[in-house]
Amino acid sequence: MHTSIATVCLSGSLEEKMEAAAEAGFAGVEIFEPDLVASELTPEEVRARAERLGLALDLYQPFRDFEGVSEELLEDNLRRAEARFRIMARLGIGTVLVCSNVSTATEDSDEVSAAQLRRLGELASAHGVRVAFEALAWGRFVDDYRRAWRIVELADHPAVGTCLDSFHILSRGHDPAGIEDIPAEKIFFVQLADAPALSLDVLSWSRHHRLFPGEGDFDLVTFLGHVVRSGYAGPISLEVFNDIFRQTASGATAAQAHRTLVALADRTAREQAGAEALPTVPAAGHPVGVDFVEVRAENTTDVEEVLDQLGLSFRGQHRSKPVRLWSAGGARIILNEQHARGERPHVAGMGLLYPDVDAAEARVSTLGVPRVTRRIQAGEHRLPAFVSPQGVELFLAAGESDATGRPGWIDEFEHGVPQDEGAEAGEAGVYAVDHLNLMSPWETYDETVHFCTGVLGLQKGTSTEVASLHGLVRSRVLRTPDGAVRVPLNVLPAAGDQHTEHVALACDDVLAVARRAQRRGMRPLPVPRNYYDDLEARFGLTDTFLRSLRAHQVMYDRDADGEFLHFYTRRVGGVFFELVQRLGDYDGYGAADAPIRLAAQARLDAEPSQLSGSARPPRRRGRSVPRQLPEW
Ligand SMILES: O=C(O)c1ccc(O)c(O)c1
Ligand SMILES: [Mg+2]
């Protein structure tokens, strides 16, 4: 597969874009004309640079508003085109993208457009180049790839073919199966872009919200399957117009882009008949459980106090590092004070269990995810570790499921309360990590979604928006089908809300856990009285039950599948805990309760200290960079 990327996807100067593309592993680039026009490099210098980088110049784009025009305008359009062909000759680029006319077309006729494209083809072949005609989703008359192909077919010129762009096809809901009706030699170019499902005019959607494959909601696996079955073997190029990518470092964006394209090819090869020739990467399946969550801080005492109140037990101190383990059943929390000077408590890592951990490591590594290097002592378990795009470290461990396994690394912890083999639940029945709620700055959000799905093997779950006091928080759940691993991922609003992440622990009796914790001095996150009045109105709960919920600041949700009871601890630095109890087949997260929680946390932020006499005032995002990882 010849991979390519349009320079419009990346930030910086043309030379920076080309270097980033080559460094990320792309075989070629599409030169976006405005990037050349703005560059100080001559076309010859661009060509030489590409050669040095080993980068093919696959396409020159876009040439606009050519077809369907009056005779008089056509002459001018041919003149404009010829000037471009000369530049292309200097660049050494053989194909130009001509997108369907969006403004000057007056002739809604396939015959007229075909005759005009044929003239363009004549001119192009005189200059040794080819024309790839692309239907823009908002073209004046040509807005469907099937019509563009009809016109190309009618033009019947060897230098005239079509360019397929997944965005224009899928945004309009057009069936991509028709791609297989186009002879492969008439498909001159293929561009891929994903996008979130939005109801927005297609032009704004395309220019601002395109995403790399697997980050949005388009079915690019099926799309690419059709492309491969058509027999097309030319460049597969990413063309993603997106406000974020143009503002972030081109090296990181190019690496992300390449990873998404490789992951897409891999999935397509595995899922689409006839696409087996596409390159694959090792398969990892999906994780089967959460091995542990790691919380890091200069001093983890406050967090341990909360864990004790919640009924988890101290299982020991690591024999060679300032690292401690607390657990109950399969819920394991590692407290790490190593290399954590000046850091407030925060979620720093997550261990995921894979049945074939070697395959999982091979996959994550092959997809170019940066590794975390940790010093290992003799006799210690080596868990492969990688850095996720939003900064949390990801550990891969071998295991069949979280609740039944006893991780090998547990023996490295000494002098704690012993835990029997198997899934001995903690006091009051805390037995597993139910979910881990992570945050990502908006810049890395879509990339993190792809990391969890395309790399780690989680699936996209529901997507919502939660109202906080400081703005709407986009949230999407990434999970396994059985719910053994659930990661709700929230966008961190630009201003206002704290960067706090939380660990939700599953238990058998949340009211009992709350009662015990409060006896041990825990002050839960306060829930306003209005909430309970509203609960009564919504669900008609009995007085006794409602009183009991309120007494323990436990929140409640119910849907057709079951019921959900949960409460939150107060924040300790940048982390807090949630205790959840699922009844029946309830599969959600109490979405209606999230705004109540955010408002309560914001109220507490205004107070000098959240935790009785212990926590330092939490720092705001931007004031401190807790470690060498990307800022969060
Ligand atoms: O938005 C545009 O104008 C535009 C230009 C070139 C393309 O290939 C495309 O898909 C869109
Ligand atoms: Mg395009």
Side-chain angles (χ1 to χ4, degrees):
M1 183 175 69
H2 179 97
T3 59
S4 193
I5 184 168
T7 56
V8 70
C9 306
L10 303 170
S11 65
S13 65
L14 182 55
E15 48 271 43
E16 286 166 344
K17 292 168 187 237
M18 287 165 58
E19 259 164 47
E23 174 70 18
F26 284 98
V29 289
E30 301 176 30
I31 298 285
F32 187 57
E33 184 173 67
D35 284 332
L36 176 74
V37 175
S39 174
E40 278 199 325
L41 302 181
T42 64
E44 289 78 8
E45 286 168 339
V46 171
R47 178 182 193 160
R49 224 166 241 266
E51 268 164 27
R52 263 206 312 283
L53 291 168
L55 205 57
L57 298 179
D58 292 319
L59 186 83
Y60 189 71
Q61 70 122 323
F63 188 69
R64 299 184 189 276
D65 295 331
F66 176 78
E67 88 293 355
V69 297
S70 65
E71 264 308 306
E72 181 187 359
L73 206 48
L74 180 67
E75 291 308 320
D76 191 47
N77 288 350
L78 287 166
R79 182 198 59 75
R80 284 197 295 127
E82 189 164 22
R84 270 33 176 257
F85 296 161
R86 289 204 194 94
I87 290 169
M88 288 170 62
R90 294 171 64 193
L91 285 162
I93 298 184
T95 309
V96 63
L97 182 144
V98 173
C99 43
S100 60
N101 198 325
V102 300
S103 63
T104 59
T106 47
E107 306 291 320
D108 186 5
S109 152
D110 290 355
E111 286 71 22
V112 170
S113 291
Q116 297 183 341
L117 274 178
R118 170 171 251 278
R119 295 229 3 225
L120 187 63
E122 297 273 284
L123 185 63
S125 35
H127 288 268
V129 299
R130 317 188 298 171
V131 166
F133 183 50
E134 173 191 40
L136 296 187
W138 55 94
R140 175 82 176 85
F141 299 122
V142 181
D143 58 7
D144 181 328
Y145 80 99
R146 293 162 294 203
R147 187 165 188 195
W149 158 234
R150 215 158 45 239
I151 291 169
V152 165
E153 195 176 19
L154 275 177
D156 191 24
H157 191 283
V160 178
T162 190
C163 167
L164 301 169
D165 178 330
S166 64
F167 180 87
H168 300 297
I169 296 171
L170 301 177
S171 65
R172 299 292 307 268
H174 296 155
D175 184 355
I179 291 172
E180 295 185 48
D181 300 334
I182 307 175
E185 68 279 6
K186 293 307 264 182
I187 304 175
F188 283 4
F189 208 74
V190 171
Q191 296 173 319
L192 295 181
D194 202 341
L198 294 173
S199 44
L200 191 70
D201 69 281
V202 275
L203 174 60
S204 312
W205 191 10
S206 174
R207 293 261 173 93
H208 303 284
H209 300 283
R210 288 191 185 204
L211 293 170
F212 290 124
E215 295 179 350
D217 297 310
F218 286 173
D219 181 0
L220 292 184
V221 172
T222 300
F223 183 90
L224 188 54
H226 291 306
V227 168
V228 173
R229 284 192 299 273
S230 77
Y232 173 80
I236 300 288
S237 186
L238 299 176
E239 190 202 39
V240 173
F241 305 89
N242 180 300
D243 302 350
I244 295 176
F245 303 157
R246 305 219 62 177
Q247 292 171 40
T248 47
S250 55
T253 308
Q256 168 196 0
H258 194 260
R259 180 178 308 136
T260 62
L261 186 49
V262 172
L264 173 70
D266 173 61
R267 215 182 125 193
T268 309
R270 292 173 196 283
E271 294 179 11
Q272 290 286 308
E276 297 78 10
L278 286 174
T280 56
V281 286
H286 64 74
V288 292
V290 175
D291 193 19
F292 62 86
V293 174
E294 179 185 316
V295 173
R296 188 146 65 189
E298 176 169 0
N299 184 331
T300 59
T301 314
D302 295 340
V303 182
E304 295 184 54
E305 183 184 344
V306 172
L307 295 178
D308 181 53
Q309 290 163 343
L310 294 174
L312 280 77
S313 301
F314 173 61
R315 300 293 176 194
Q317 162 81 44
H318 193 275
R319 60 181 182 231
S320 67
K321 304 174 209 170
V323 176
R324 294 153 68 80
L325 172 67
W326 285 70
S327 80
R332 292 179 283 272
I333 313 286
I334 285 180
L335 288 314
N336 186 353
E337 294 182 347
Q338 197 176 30
H339 309 311
R341 270 192 59 186
E343 294 178 19
R344 63 180 194 162
H346 59 279
V347 173
M350 162 172 63
L352 289 183
L353 295 166
Y354 284 85
D356 184 346
V357 70
D358 293 337
E361 179 179 8
R363 179 177 183 83
V364 181
S365 180
T366 308
L367 287 170
V369 178
R371 280 183 190 264
V372 177
T373 43
R374 290 205 166 179
R375 201 172 290 142
I376 302 283
Q377 307 281 332
E380 277 179 21
H381 275 79
R382 173 194 161 274
L383 297 186
F386 297 88
V387 188
S388 77
Q390 52 77 263
V392 159
E393 293 175 356
L394 179 86
F395 297 83
L396 308 177
E400 289 303 328
S401 96
D402 59 337
T404 55
R406 179 187 155 80
W409 52 260
I410 278 216
D411 296 332
E412 292 166 23
F413 289 83
E414 298 168 340
H415 311 305
V417 180
Q419 181 173 16
D420 292 344
E421 293 286 332
E424 175 210 354
E427 295 171 87
V430 172
Y431 62 86
V433 171
D434 182 87
H435 60 275
L436 179 62
N437 201 299
L438 297 179
M439 279 189 153
S440 169
W442 55 272
E443 299 94 315
T444 51
Y445 188 81
D446 300 306
E447 186 184 356
T448 306
V449 169
H450 182 268
F451 177 76
C452 290
T453 54
V455 180
L456 300 183
L458 299 176
Q459 292 182 358
K460 285 179 195 158
T462 49
S463 184
T464 49
E465 279 168 353
V466 180
S468 90
L469 293 192
H470 303 110
L472 276 187
V473 177
R474 229 168 101 205
S475 177
R476 167 154 232 160
V477 178
L478 305 157
R479 56 174 293 172
T480 53
D482 64 357
V485 179
R486 301 166 182 262
V487 181
L489 179 70
N490 293 1
V491 171
L492 177 67
D497 293 327
Q498 295 249 2
H499 191 140
T500 44
E501 295 175 315
H502 80 265
V503 187
L505 302 172
C507 67
D508 293 326
D509 185 347
V510 81
L511 284 164
V513 173
R515 215 173 289 126
R516 181 189 305 266
Q518 281 165 48
R519 261 206 317 273
R520 292 181 177 181
M522 186 202 69
R523 293 191 305 148
L525 183 76
V527 179
R529 207 194 157 100
N530 291 347
Y531 172 81
Y532 293 98
D533 292 343
D534 184 53
L535 265 194
E536 187 179 13
R538 280 158 65 207
F539 297 120
L541 305 173
T542 66
D543 279 352
T544 336
F545 185 50
L546 207 54
R547 259 201 308 278
S548 172
L549 292 177
R550 211 180 99 200
H552 299 97
Q553 307 290 277
V554 171
M555 303 174 95
Y556 177 84
D557 189 27
R558 185 168 77 205
D559 64 16
D561 300 321
E563 292 169 286
F564 186 61
L565 286 79
H566 62 144
F567 74 86
Y568 299 99
T569 71
R570 296 185 182 212
R571 246 202 292 266
V572 189
V575 67
F576 62 97
F577 295 87
E578 178 184 1
L579 267 289
V580 314
Q581 182 181 1
R582 296 176 183 275
L583 293 166
D585 292 325
Y586 185 92
D587 201 30
Y589 305 84
D593 298 340
I596 321 293
R597 188 228 333 140
L598 288 164
Q601 288 176 326
R603 272 194 299 277
L604 284 179
D605 285 347
E607 292 178 11
S609 173
Q610 297 184 54
L611 203 80
S612 46
S614 45
R616 287 168 286 150
R619 292 181 213 153
R620 297 221 159 248
R621 172 179 178 252
R623 276 242 308 277
S624 74
V625 182
R627 51 219 159 97
Q628 72 278 28
L629 298 171
E631 188 190 341
W632 56 319

